[in-house]
Amino acid sequence: MLVLGLALAGCSTGGTVGGTAKAAPGNVSGTMTPSRGAASTAPSVASGQQGSPTATPPPDITVSQADAAAALKAYQSANNAANAGLDTAAMAKIESGSQLALDQATLVYDQGIGGDRAKQAKVPTTYTNTVFYRVPATTYPRGFFVTTDAVASGVSNSSYLLHFTQDQAGAPWLVDITVALGSGRQWPAFAAGPDGLLDYHGTQQNNLLLAPADLAAADRTMLADDNAGQPGSPFLSDDPTTAEQRWIQGMTEDVSPATAALTVTTAPTPPPTYLPLKDGGELVLYGTRLSMRISQSGRTFTFGDQGWAKVAGTDSFSDGYTADSLWTVAAIDPPDKAAKVQKIAQYGGLVAVH
């Protein structure tokens, strides 16, 4: 995870990706409450003889506070080393999914553009003011969240929410979600005990105002119709959508009169994630993939001075090109379901040009 936003091809960034319908309670892939299986109807053999039906509780494999802290410390060290070497292969050992795609693209961009941008990318980051939120788990994959300030010389401090996941016992911890707080905002109070264990309630998971796929679709609608805060909008604020609009403008401002066509998907990358809030609401993480096709017959588009040209492996395109970006958004779904969703954090940017 890079402290720098992905300022690619003149775009402004901060956001991340994919939405789908609400997951049912009981999924313990790092974000939901453990399901409680039905009691066994087979005779008990614990005492060597038949007895009353019993249920064997699943083992508790919730990550410990110490192990979560160790995972963050290891990530800080490995992330700094990967950034220092602009090493995409090293990044693949500590991240996964859309987060890996974003940060690998950024490293290649930094290599391509060089200069001060590449120098700043190599500056080490220190995580401070960390608060861990452990997710109850009885099966793998398991995970935990952490809020932290990222401190690096030469740039303003940023406050992040990261999600770590572990696929199986002994497997490496990987970061698959990162979102960065917008200016002047604070993380809400999560529903957690003094040990940082998230307090999930089955009823919470079914009370979302909108499914993440619907949230993402509403975001995409606002790319063409910026109506946040209006009666027809489900959102109180639309900062991520505004950032995406700037990305689109940055991609198209130098190609007029070429044709620009935007394609949006709501694929689950990453899958929708929920964090329970102390007041009964939830923080929803969801995302989207944007594909921008720029075309004009007979025209050669040249981008020799852009770092992302190296992402594509060429600095010119005949007749047109497509740029793909990924975005992830964190939005507060309040306990009052008549109230609007408020988007407070985001992360994202360019991942491919072809």
Side-chain angles (χ1 to χ4, degrees), residues 99-276:
Q99 188 62 45
L100 174 61
L102 280 165
D103 286 343
Q104 284 185 324
T106 303
L107 289 178
V108 177
Y109 178 87
D110 292 338
Q111 281 182 334
I113 204 166
D116 291 341
R117 169 81 188 212
K119 290 180 182 178
Q120 183 62 55
K122 298 179 180 182
V123 174
T125 297
T126 301
Y127 297 120
T128 64
N129 299 325
T130 55
V131 180
F132 294 95
Y133 297 97
R134 299 180 297 122
V135 180
T138 56
T139 62
Y140 286 93
R142 61 176 182 168
F144 68 90
F145 294 88
V146 58
T147 57
T148 182
D149 293 334
V151 180
S153 177
V155 295
S156 300
N157 296 352
S158 298
S159 183
Y160 288 93
L161 172 68
L162 288 78
H163 179 252
F164 285 75
T165 183
Q166 186 183 44
D167 285 340
Q168 58 187 6
W173 284 99
L174 304 176
V175 172
D176 62 354
I177 296 175
T178 297
V179 287
L181 271 180
S183 177
R185 291 196 171 102
Q186 293 182 329
W187 294 111
F190 296 111
D195 59 354
L197 192 65
L198 286 173
D199 183 17
Y200 282 95
H201 301 287
T203 55
Q204 274 189 312
Q205 304 303 327
N206 295 318
N207 286 338
L208 286 173
L209 176 65
L210 292 172
D214 296 330
L215 289 171
D219 267 350
R220 304 295 73 78
T221 299
M222 286 195 294
L223 285 172
D225 181 15
D226 187 7
N227 65 344
Q230 301 302 311
S233 171
F235 298 109
L236 181 66
S237 61
D238 70 338
D239 291 351
T241 300
T242 301
E244 291 163 341
Q245 289 173 331
R246 289 197 298 266
W247 179 82
I248 293 169
Q249 292 166 359
M251 292 299 297
T252 59
E253 62 186 7
D254 295 326
V255 299
S256 179
T259 299
L262 177 66
T263 301
V264 180
T265 62
T266 53
T269 49
T273 302
Y274 314 88
L275 279 78

